[in-house]
Amino acid sequence: KGYDSDYSYLLSQYHASATPERRFPLLHKALKRYPHNPLFLNDLGYSLLVYPDSLETAGKLIKQAVEQEPDNAFYQDSMAWFYYLKGDFPKALEHIQIPLTLETIPSEIAYHIGMILIANENPELAKDYLKKASEDDSAPDYQLKARIALEKLP
């Protein structure tokens, strides 16, 4: 049982405490109860992107979220990252346009933007976004990934 706001709260707590083993069952339960909730669709879809065997499932979930809220920068970022991971770099670039307009870009999204720009042969602009991600210590994983990507650029 529970309201969608209850699930949202618990999921944000699990995300903050980095406990994916507790998030996945809760996300599945939330989606079973609220199958059209774009937040839950995107959250599960994005979480599945790290599992290559689940890439298509992830894309379908994220697409449903984007269809409901096409101007949501976070859902568009998830869709862009899905296409990047599939190797469809032009499509990834299309979907990263709304996240590019964010006033404050979280390091994870800045990293995604940088990598998508590199894949679309725009390394100079990519450097700006990777630099932003590398300077943001609120997400150490993406800070490190951005630094490594920057070191590989000419």
Side-chain angles (χ1 to χ4, degrees):
K1 294 192 179 200
Y3 296 102
D4 60 348
S5 59
D6 296 332
Y7 286 107
S8 296
Y9 174 76
L10 285 172
L11 288 166
S12 69
Q13 294 303 307
Y14 291 158
H15 184 73
S17 63
T19 52
E21 69 281 352
R22 295 174 78 180
R23 286 182 71 239
F24 279 118
L26 188 62
L27 270 169
H28 284 287
K29 192 174 181 179
L31 269 174
K32 189 173 183 178
R33 186 162 171 98
Y34 302 100
H36 304 292
N37 182 302
L39 176 65
F40 302 151
L41 289 164
N42 184 69
D43 197 355
L44 181 57
Y46 184 76
S47 298
L48 289 172
L49 289 177
V50 298
Y51 303 101
D53 293 344
S54 298
L55 203 58
E56 290 307 316
T57 300
K60 288 176 186 174
L61 292 166
I62 296 165
K63 185 177 181 197
Q64 289 177 57
V66 168
E67 285 171 350
Q68 290 183 55
E69 294 185 24
D71 294 329
N72 185 303
F74 296 94
Y75 302 168
Q76 288 289 349
D77 170 67
S78 297
M79 195 86 257
W81 198 239
F82 163 74
Y83 283 116
Y84 173 86
L85 294 173
K86 283 191 59 138
D88 189 341
F89 305 132
K91 196 82 168 161
L93 190 61
E94 274 179 46
H95 283 277
I96 211 65
Q97 296 307 306
I98 290 175
L100 279 166
T101 66
L102 287 170
E103 206 169 294
T104 303
I105 299 176
S107 61
E108 188 169 354
I109 293 177
Y111 172 75
H112 291 168
I113 292 169
M115 298 306 291
I116 290 166
L117 289 170
I118 290 169
N120 281 280
E121 300 178 18
N122 193 342
E124 287 308 310
L125 186 55
K127 284 180 188 177
D128 294 339
Y129 288 96
L130 291 172
K131 191 171 184 315
K132 286 179 189 179
S134 72
E135 293 170 349
D136 182 355
D137 58 6
S138 67
D141 289 352
Y142 287 92
Q143 185 180 40
L144 179 61
K145 288 178 181 186
R147 287 180 180 161
I148 292 168
L150 277 168
E151 288 173 5
K152 292 180 180 178
L153 288 175

